[in-house]
Amino acid sequence: MSRLLDDRVFNKETLLDSTVNLVPFFILLFFLVLFVVATPEGWQDGSYYSIYMITMIISMIWGLLHLTYATAKRV
């Protein structure tokens, strides 16, 4: 952790600025868990809709993490 804080990309100020993106991250994570756990017909059936929905949520999570890192790197 100290290596992460010593790096120029992630200093204290940048970490504080990046915590704003934790709210949408946890919202997306909540919907992913909700979709996997509370889907009445089940996501294991392999239907295209289930695969598409899980792929969309995971790609948004990955995009948010990538955008947060790129923004922190530029700031």
Side-chain angles (χ1 to χ4, degrees):
M1 185 71 180
S2 64
R3 164 92 169 91
L4 194 65
L5 290 175
D6 290 339
D7 197 8
R8 288 188 162 170
V9 175
F10 291 109
N11 55 19
K12 270 187 166 180
E13 186 175 328
T14 307
L15 283 174
L16 287 174
D17 291 341
S18 297
T19 56
V20 173
N21 289 338
L22 286 178
V23 173
F25 174 75
F26 285 121
I27 290 171
L28 287 170
L29 198 62
F30 170 76
F31 281 118
L32 180 66
V33 170
L34 183 69
F35 181 74
V36 169
V37 171
T39 304
E41 62 272 353
W43 62 276
Q44 295 94 352
D45 62 352
S47 70
Y48 290 116
Y49 296 119
S50 298
I51 294 169
Y52 180 72
M53 180 63 78
I54 290 173
T55 304
M56 288 297 293
I57 295 173
I58 290 174
S59 68
M60 285 188 268
I61 290 172
W62 181 84
L64 179 67
L65 292 176
H66 181 69
L67 185 65
T68 302
Y69 177 75
T71 305
K73 193 174 178 181
R74 302 241 189 289
V75 169

